[in-house]
Amino acid sequence: MLGIFSWRRISGKDDHRVSFTDAGLREEVRKRTWDYIELALISTVMIWAGLSMFFGGVYRRSSLANNINVYVVDLDGGDVGANVTRMVLDIPVTPSTPVWLQRHDLHSIDAVKAWVLANGWGALVINSGASARLDSALYNGTDYDASAAMTLIESSGRQVVAEMLYVSSALTTAAQTVAREYAQALVTSFQAAPTSEQANYGAVIDPVSFTTVDVAPAGFTISPIMSTFGYLVILLSTIGVLIVWKMTSFPFFTQVRYRDLVLMWPVLLLCLALILSFYQALAFLAFRGPGFNEEALTYTAASFFKFWFTGAAVAFSLGLWLFNWFLHLTPHIIALPSICTVIPNVVSTIGTFELAPTFYRIFYALPFYNGSSIILYIITGAHPTIGRNVGILVAEIVAMTALLSLSIWIRQVCALRGISDAHGWFHGSRYFHSHIPYYKDVARADAEAQAGSVPSNKASGATLPTRTVEIYDDDVERGVSLTTGNLGV
């Protein structure tokens, strides 16, 4: 039974088999060699396309950090507020750090929090009464809490990666620099002219410090990759189903009406998207639990359905997009649109518009980015651009559905005319195999058959003589008729 794996020739069983050394295989080996070289070249293009898009999207990202603005807000109005504001604005601007600006239109800590939650990246606030508290400690020796001088307000829910890498570090570095320089200046001044014998020397050594408030906490363990990984798993699961549909749907295009196909495929893709995104919503609920974000928002039933339907919209738009490609591509390049879809979508979620090179900013119209922005808003309430994000997803779904209608029509025409086979190979390829004859061959055969059935002397210009023949069916009683072919036999 295992003789086929034997190195020795088995008489009676190996007679019909051939060896690689047989001359009859040389032509086939040559053809297959070129096929493998073609596959290697295609694979090279695909891997470099994917790597170029990924590394290009994050190339020298830190050099664009000064596209992010962070603000200093003086609610104190005294010496501490003025000195701290001056120190912060004097911090040198480098390409790898956000730019410090000052806002004058916010007059309470709650107003600053609301602004950062809705629009800002972060702010350093000099709290109201900071100067009065420090003066009381220096002159009267009252108790002093240095951390009440400044508040760092950030919003990790806007974009987790950018917030952690640039905004949070910029706020903390600025506050620490200010605290160190302010303490040095105050100690020098106190040594030169002691203020009071009752001075609180702790306030002299540590005059200003800070506390940090995250108005939209999203900095839990997997938050940078939560939506990205979820959408990626959904997309990869969808790709497997789409490939199966491509390879097995040929009878649909040859036997089902176009109208039914146009209705069937979007409905199937929508059902698949709803199922996979439902699992994603359940997985997030199981991982974090209903109280995942006590400081900002709670996970309600409405949040679950928003999470679910957002994932469905992302999966549906990408499924429509990829199926448009899969319907027409040959098997050896079918992975190319998948790579060119997955990589840009992933890149769009691990960065932000401000940190992207000019060309790559178009990635922020992709489903992953808009879906992730909606998810961050659902779970944190930060940076409400949900209207724009939903509008982009809906527009992409409508456009891809319309394009799929055209793709289905083209695919059905190619199938019925014998232009492409069940696997997507086109007529003329050595792998093409279809039981439906090629439409040009059919037209040629019909023309030859018609030309062979009627003699013609058009080339010589002569005309054939004609004669009229009349048929009489006289034997009506016996039912004999030349017209019907009944000769009475």
Side-chain angles (χ1 to χ4, degrees), residues 198 277 302 306 373 462:
Q198 299 177 348
S277 60
K306 292 176 183 178
S373 298

PDB file of all heavy atoms in Angstrom, residues 198 277 302 306 373 462:
ATOM      1  N   GLN A 198       9.067  82.395  60.494  1.00  0.00           N
ATOM      2  CA  GLN A 198       7.993  81.413  60.587  1.00  0.00           C
ATOM      3  C   GLN A 198       7.764  80.682  59.268  1.00  0.00           C
ATOM      4  O   GLN A 198       6.770  79.975  59.122  1.00  0.00           O
ATOM      5  CB  GLN A 198       6.688  82.113  61.007  1.00  0.00           C
ATOM      6  CG  GLN A 198       6.774  82.786  62.369  1.00  0.00           C
ATOM      7  CD  GLN A 198       5.490  83.514  62.715  1.00  0.00           C
ATOM      8  OE1 GLN A 198       4.635  83.702  61.865  1.00  0.00           O
ATOM      9  NE2 GLN A 198       5.367  83.920  63.978  1.00  0.00           N
ATOM     10  N   SER A 277     -18.690  40.685  14.419  1.00  0.00           N
ATOM     11  CA  SER A 277     -18.610  41.845  15.310  1.00  0.00           C
ATOM     12  C   SER A 277     -19.326  41.594  16.630  1.00  0.00           C
ATOM     13  O   SER A 277     -18.958  42.175  17.658  1.00  0.00           O
ATOM     14  CB  SER A 277     -19.193  43.081  14.622  1.00  0.00           C
ATOM     15  OG  SER A 277     -20.557  42.872  14.283  1.00  0.00           O
ATOM     16  N   ALA A 302     -26.640  49.980  25.880  1.00  0.00           N
ATOM     17  CA  ALA A 302     -26.499  50.802  24.673  1.00  0.00           C
ATOM     18  C   ALA A 302     -25.060  50.799  24.165  1.00  0.00           C
ATOM     19  O   ALA A 302     -24.817  50.763  22.954  1.00  0.00           O
ATOM     20  CB  ALA A 302     -26.954  52.228  24.973  1.00  0.00           C
ATOM     21  N   LYS A 306     -23.780  49.705  20.458  1.00  0.00           N
ATOM     22  CA  LYS A 306     -22.962  50.625  19.664  1.00  0.00           C
ATOM     23  C   LYS A 306     -21.653  49.960  19.258  1.00  0.00           C
ATOM     24  O   LYS A 306     -21.193  50.090  18.112  1.00  0.00           O
ATOM     25  CB  LYS A 306     -22.690  51.897  20.467  1.00  0.00           C
ATOM     26  CG  LYS A 306     -23.902  52.769  20.709  1.00  0.00           C
ATOM     27  CD  LYS A 306     -23.544  53.941  21.601  1.00  0.00           C
ATOM     28  CE  LYS A 306     -24.758  54.789  21.931  1.00  0.00           C
ATOM     29  NZ  LYS A 306     -24.430  55.906  22.850  1.00  0.00           N
ATOM     30  N   SER A 373     -12.088  55.286  16.210  1.00  0.00           N
ATOM     31  CA  SER A 373     -12.458  56.573  16.793  1.00  0.00           C
ATOM     32  C   SER A 373     -13.834  56.506  17.439  1.00  0.00           C
ATOM     33  O   SER A 373     -14.056  57.069  18.526  1.00  0.00           O
ATOM     34  CB  SER A 373     -12.439  57.664  15.711  1.00  0.00           C
ATOM     35  OG  SER A 373     -11.145  57.819  15.157  1.00  0.00           O
ATOM     36  N   ALA A 462     -20.290  35.050 -59.478  1.00  0.00           N
ATOM     37  CA  ALA A 462     -21.335  34.276 -60.160  1.00  0.00           C
ATOM     38  C   ALA A 462     -22.489  34.037 -59.220  1.00  0.00           C
ATOM     39  O   ALA A 462     -22.347  34.048 -58.006  1.00  0.00           O
ATOM     40  CB  ALA A 462     -20.767  32.937 -60.638  1.00  0.00           C
TER      41      ALA A 462
END
